[in-house]
C-alpha cells in the first residue's frame, strides 16, 4: 500500500504530525506499536502542558490526543516497523512485523525513546520481581512498602513523588548531590516526609531471592561507605535511549543514537523527517514533542508538494 506519508509512532509527536499531514490533504498512515500516547501513558500527572492548569493524568491526555485524530481519514496500522529503506523511484519501503510492507513518499519518524537500564548486577534477574521502569504501571504493587528510585532527572523526581503517595517510604538514590530535575520537583521532594535522599551514591547490586528482590546495596562515592537498604522494589530512571534502530544505518545520529535534524525536523536523508524524543535535542517535553510533530508535518507537506510537482 502506498501513502504520501507514513508516520511511525503514536505519541504526542506522531499524533500531531499525522493530524497536520491529513489536514494538509495528503494520504497518511500512522503506525502504532502500542496504545496511542507513547510515554505519557506511563506518566501519572502532567503538570506542565499548557491548557491544563490543574494538571492532567497521562492516560487522559493520551485519550484526548487520540480522540482529536479520530475524525480524520488517517489509516491506523497496528504493528512494529522493522526497517525503512529506499525503494524505487524515490519511495521508501517500510517492512513491518508479520511480513507486512508499506510504501511512502515521505516518512515521519516519531518513535521516541525508552528508559535506559542501570547496568547493576541483579537488574535483569529481578526485572519484574522488584525492578521496574514504570511507577505508574507497577507502583500499586508496593502499596504500604518501602521502595527505591534511582536517578536525579525529572523522571526520577516526578516518579519518586508519585510513589511517595502510595508506598511507605521512598529512598531516592542519586549519584551526585545536585539534581538535574526541575526545582519545582526538588522542592516538593524535600518537603515530602517519607522520601529519604541517598545522594552521591551508586547502586552496587540489587539483591534478593526466589520471591523477588529484598534490598539494594549502595555505595557512597565520596566516603566509599556501603549500605544495604531493605526495599522490595526499585524504580530506575537514569535517562532515555532512542528507538531509532529501524531507520537506515547511515542516517545522521549523535553518539547516543539520537537522530540529528535541522530546525525543520529534516534528517540528512531527503524525505525522512524525525520528531519528538528520538531526536537529538535538549528539551524532551510533551509540548516540545507536539511542536516537533507540527514542524515535521509542515516540512513533509512542502517536500510532498515538490515530489508531486
Ligand atoms: P535525564 O534528565 O537524562 O536524567 C537522568 C538521570 O539519571 C540524571 O540525574 C543522571 O545523573 C542519572 N544517571 C544517568 N546514568 C546513570 C547511571 N549509570 N547511574 C546512576 N545514575 C545515572 O533523564 P530523565 O529524567 O529520564 O528525563 C529525560 C528527558 O525527559 C529530560 O529532558 C527531562 O527533562 C524530560 N522529562 C520531563 C518531565 C517533565 O518536565 N515533567 C518529566 C520526565 C522527563 P546526572 O545528573 O549525574 O547526570
Amino acid at each position: 500500500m502506498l501513502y504520501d506519508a507514513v508516520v511511525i509512532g503514536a505519541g504526542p509527536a506522531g499524533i500531531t504530525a499525522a493530524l497536520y499531514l491529513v489536514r494538509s490533504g495528503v494520504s497518511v498512515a500512522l503506525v502504532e506499536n502500542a496504545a496511542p500516547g507513547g510515554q505519557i501513558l506511563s506518566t501519572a500527572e502532567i503538570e506542565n502542558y499548557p491548557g491544563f492548569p490543574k494538571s492532567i493524568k497521562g492516560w487522559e491526555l493520551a485519550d484526548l490526543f487520540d480522540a482529536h485524530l479520530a475524525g480524520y481519514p488517517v489509516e491506523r496500522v497496528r504493528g512494529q516497523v522493522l526497517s525503512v529503506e529506499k525503494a524505487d523511484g524515490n519511495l521508501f519501503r517500510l517492512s513491518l512485523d508479520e511480513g507486512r510492507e508499506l510504501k511512502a513518499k515521505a516518512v515521519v519518524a516519531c518513535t521516541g525513546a525508552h528508559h535506559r537500564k542501570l547496568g547493576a548486577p541483579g537488574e535483569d534477574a529481578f526485572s519484574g520481581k522488584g525492578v521496574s521502569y514504570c511507577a505508574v504501571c507497577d507502583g500499586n504493587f508496593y502499596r504500604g512498602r518501602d521502595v527505591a528510585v534511582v536517578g536525579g532527572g525529572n523522571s526520577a523526581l516526578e516518579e519518586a513523588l508519585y510513589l511517595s503517595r502510595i508506598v511507605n517510604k521512598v529512598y531516592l538514590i542519586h549519584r551526585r548531590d545536585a539534581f538535574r530535575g526541575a526545582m519545582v520537583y526538588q522542592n516538593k521532594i524535600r518537603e515530602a516526609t517519607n522520601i529519604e535522599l541517598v545522594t552521591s551514591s551508586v547502586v552496587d547490586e540489587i539483591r534478593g531471592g526466589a520471591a523477588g528482590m529484598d534490598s539494594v546495596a549502595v555505595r557512597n562515592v565520596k566516603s566509599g561507605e556501603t549500605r544495604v537498604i531493605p526495599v522490595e522494589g526499585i524504580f530506575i530512571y537514569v535517562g532515555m535511549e532512542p528507538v531509532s534502530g529501524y531507520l537506515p544505518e547511515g542516517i545522521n545520529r549523535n553518539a547516543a543514537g539520537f537522530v540529528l535534524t535541522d530546525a525543520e525536523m529534516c534528517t540528512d536523508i531527503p524525505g525522512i523527517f524525525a520528531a519528538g524524543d528520538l531526536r537529538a535535542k535538549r528539551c524532551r517535553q510533551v509540548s516540545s514533542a507536539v511542536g516537533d510533530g507540527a514542524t515535521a508535518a509542515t516540512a513533509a507537506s512542502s517536500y510532498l508538494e515538490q515530489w508531486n510537482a
Side-chain angles (χ1 to χ4, degrees), residues 224-237:
E225 275 172 33
T226 57
R227 170 183 178 191
V228 176
I229 305 174
V231 284
E232 290 175 62
I234 185 165
F235 291 83
I236 295 169
Y237 292 104

Side-chain angles (χ1 to χ4, degrees), residues 39 43 45-48 115-119 150-159 173-176 178-182 185 201-203 237-240 277 281-285:
Q39 283 175 56
T43 305
E45 293 283 338
I46 295 167
E47 296 181 359
N48 53 5
H115 291 289
R116 191 187 292 150
K117 283 189 174 185
L118 183 59
V150 189
N154 278 324
S155 299
L157 302 190
E158 226 177 51
E159 304 309 326
I173 303 165
H174 178 38
R175 64 184 179 184
R176 293 187 295 135
F179 292 95
R180 72 171 65 226
Y185 295 131
S201 295
V202 293
V203 172
Y237 292 104
V238 294
M240 309 296 291
D277 279 7
K281 59 176 184 170
R282 203 178 159 91
C283 178
R284 298 178 190 284
Q285 300 286 305

Side-chain angles (χ1 to χ4, degrees), residues 56-86:
I56 181 163
K57 298 204 180 324
W59 67 265
E60 281 178 324
L61 188 58
D63 272 3
L64 288 171
F65 281 155
D66 193 39
H68 203 137
L69 203 54
Y72 292 96
V74 171
E75 183 76 26
R76 309 289 288 257
V77 179
R78 196 65 185 258
Q80 193 182 0
V81 175
L82 303 174
S83 67
V84 174
E85 54 198 8
K86 274 261 185 212

Side-chain angles (χ1 to χ4, degrees), residues 112-131:
H114 56 215
H115 291 289
R116 191 187 292 150
K117 283 189 174 185
L118 183 59
E123 183 174 8
D124 288 339
F126 295 110
S127 180
K129 290 182 185 172
V131 175

Side-chain angles (χ1 to χ4, degrees), residues 16-17 35 55 97 112 117 137 146 154 187 190 194 234 244 267-268 272 307:
T16 308
S55 89
D97 51 335
K117 283 189 174 185
C137 320
D146 293 351
N154 278 324
N187 292 339
R190 291 197 164 89
N194 64 342
I234 185 165
S244 63
T267 69
D268 62 324
I272 302 186
W307 209 96

